[in-house]
Amino acid sequence: MATWKLIKLKFERCPAHFGELGIGMESTTERVHSDTLFSAWMSSYARLYPNEIDALLNGFCDESPPAMRISSTFIYRETDKGTIYYLPRPLRFPVNYPQGNDLEFFKTYKKLNYLPLKVLQRWYQGVGFTLADREELIAKTNGAKGGNLDTEGTFDYKQAFKIEKVPKIAVDRNTRATNLYHTAFLYFEWNQNGNSIQSLSGLYFLLHFPQDDVELATRLEDALELLGEEGLGGERSSGAGRFKVEWEDIPSDWQSVVKYPDTSTSHYLISLFWEDDVSQLQQLITDKSSYEIQERGGWIIQSNIRRQMVRMFTEGSVFPVEPHGKLVNVTPSELRTNNGGYKTHPIYRSGISLSLKIKAENS
């Protein structure tokens, strides 16, 4: 029986640094993509269970359904009205979205890169876009406040975190010359009551097991806790990226979202996705698709060697059929032998997708 989990990563007062391809140390994003989370998680799993990691990865590489699927991480925010879970806005308009050049509210609408779960469910699995939504977005464009979208936290995404630049000094090993630079650190909302620290915001992701596997779930939870102690992202030597894990069954407000009926006509990515099968891509990429592609790269842990570059479909992409994806071998040429083997072990990046069913305009 398939099961869903929702995992919160609570950073409390600990800063984080999440780099992206093409940006320097002076910038950081506020979340981590599914491929980065998967790689870091599997590295921790390999340290805890060195005799089990090969079997787990082989299960992802063969043609059978993978042992699990994970989403990318997204922001959650605790408020006095409950928890707001943000998700990327699908790249297709919701049902009943006004046709034509209705620019009175589009300036505000296009800035909504992330939607609260309740808004996404209403727009893409419920009644769709309403006249009241249009009027509120027009009012917001003109500087007014109030309305259902405002109450549900639609415009409060950036209140969950702040980014600060910290000055650092680099010292040349040969000349001892110094160089001043800045590193951006991400801080999530938190408060303190006595000696107790409460995370008011952080990251979460969804985990889907096609078949309930208690033993695997226990091992994965242990590996994730180890990752939390070591840190996720960059600047771990400075103490960045450490978190506490809250592992729970899918909350009630998510149940209808993940179990939306099969009669839906579109599938919406909440992870990165990679596929090289031409027949599969032909089914996915049609006039009913809307997608963006992002280059993914990065360094191999504890080395100065870069992984091979790969291009993936991003979160928010919408397809007419369910995308599945697979692991992609990104082992660089420096780590390959002449006979086709590997000097150490193959390096993988996860393009295994996780998607939700939605209704979208013209789908």
Side-chain angles (χ1 to χ4, degrees):
M1 178 179 177
T3 58
W4 290 80
K5 301 289 182 181
L6 186 145
I7 294 94
K8 289 181 179 177
L9 311 181
K10 297 189 171 185
F11 292 83
E12 298 182 343
R13 292 186 299 179
C14 186
H17 178 87
F18 304 135
E20 289 280 9
L21 183 67
I23 67 174
M25 296 300 293
E26 293 190 3
S27 299
T28 179
T29 61
E30 72 274 13
R31 63 184 189 87
V32 176
H33 294 286
S34 56
D35 61 340
T36 299
L37 174 62
F38 182 89
S39 296
W41 200 354
M42 291 302 102
S43 293
S44 295
Y45 191 99
R47 286 194 290 277
L48 280 181
Y49 305 105
N51 298 326
E52 308 293 336
I53 185 63
D54 287 341
L56 180 59
L57 289 178
N58 288 337
F60 286 108
C61 293
D62 62 27
E63 296 300 322
S64 61
M68 67 170 187
R69 295 178 183 272
I70 61 172
S71 74
S72 295
T73 63
F74 305 108
I75 295 286
Y76 76 85
R77 184 169 185 249
E78 305 283 0
T79 70
D80 55 357
K81 297 179 182 179
T83 305
I84 301 174
Y85 297 100
Y86 288 96
L87 284 163
R89 174 170 55 83
L91 296 178
R92 290 189 79 87
F93 291 129
V95 173
N96 301 325
Y97 184 87
Q99 300 296 312
N101 297 321
D102 195 340
L103 301 179
E104 289 184 273
F105 67 91
F106 185 71
K107 179 180 178 181
T108 300
Y109 175 87
K110 71 178 182 179
K111 293 179 180 179
L112 300 178
N113 296 320
Y114 296 91
L115 300 176
L117 177 65
K118 291 182 179 179
V119 174
L120 184 133
Q121 183 180 24
R122 178 163 60 84
W123 281 3
Y124 290 92
Q125 293 182 339
V127 297
F129 195 86
T130 66
L131 180 60
D133 295 326
R134 178 182 180 276
E135 296 302 321
E136 184 177 348
L137 288 173
I138 292 174
K140 181 68 176 178
T141 302
N142 296 325
K145 296 183 178 180
N148 289 334
L149 296 177
D150 198 7
T151 301
E152 290 163 344
T154 307
F155 311 111
D156 299 337
Y157 178 77
K158 291 187 177 180
Q159 293 184 22
F161 61 90
K162 62 180 180 180
I163 295 174
E164 296 181 355
K165 292 183 179 180
V166 177
K168 291 196 171 188
I169 298 291
V171 181
D172 187 277
R173 293 181 179 180
N174 297 320
T175 66
R176 311 304 294 173
T178 59
N179 180 46
L180 174 67
Y181 68 100
H182 290 80
T183 299
F185 285 100
L186 173 72
Y187 295 87
F188 293 100
E189 276 187 301
W190 59 276
N191 67 12
Q192 187 166 357
N193 184 8
N195 294 325
S196 176
I197 299 173
Q198 179 186 9
S199 288
L200 298 179
S201 68
L203 298 177
Y204 79 93
F205 66 93
L206 298 182
L207 171 61
H208 178 247
F209 291 107
Q211 298 293 330
D212 194 12
D213 190 331
V214 176
E215 183 178 2
L216 175 60
T218 300
R219 290 177 176 175
L220 288 169
E221 187 172 1
D222 291 341
L224 190 61
E225 289 179 351
L226 174 60
L227 178 60
E229 294 173 0
E230 296 180 338
L232 177 64
E235 294 295 300
R236 293 189 298 275
S237 61
S238 301
R242 295 196 301 267
F243 58 84
K244 294 180 180 178
V245 179
E246 185 175 297
W247 184 290
E248 60 186 58
D249 292 331
I250 198 82
S252 57
D253 51 353
W254 277 91
Q255 290 286 348
S256 59
V257 175
V258 300
K259 296 179 180 178
Y260 193 60
D262 291 336
T263 54
S264 63
T265 55
S266 297
H267 295 263
Y268 147 69
L269 279 180
I270 55 173
S271 71
L272 296 181
F273 160 59
W274 182 84
E275 180 61 73
D276 62 347
D277 187 301
V278 175
S279 62
Q280 292 288 329
L281 291 172
Q282 287 175 339
Q283 296 180 47
L284 289 164
I285 301 176
T286 70
D287 58 354
K288 296 182 178 181
S289 307
S290 294
Y291 57 87
E292 291 181 353
I293 294 175
Q294 183 178 29
E295 284 192 337
R296 305 293 294 160
W299 299 92
I300 297 173
I301 296 176
Q302 297 179 338
S303 78
N304 59 351
I305 301 175
R306 278 192 175 275
R307 303 183 186 97
Q308 288 186 347
M309 299 286 292
V310 63
R311 293 165 62 85
M312 293 187 174
F313 294 94
T314 65
E315 306 94 338
S317 298
V318 179
F319 300 104
V321 297
E322 182 180 5
H324 296 289
K326 59 185 68 171
L327 294 188
V328 51
N329 190 327
V330 293
T331 309
S333 58
E334 295 95 318
L335 298 181
R336 295 176 183 262
T337 62
N338 294 331
N339 61 3
Y342 304 99
K343 296 179 181 178
T344 53
H345 56 78
I347 308 297
Y348 294 104
R349 185 175 284 279
S350 176
I352 297 172
S353 65
L354 185 62
S355 61
L356 299 175
K357 299 167 188 173
I358 62 170
K359 297 183 296 184
E361 192 69 21
N362 298 324
S363 59

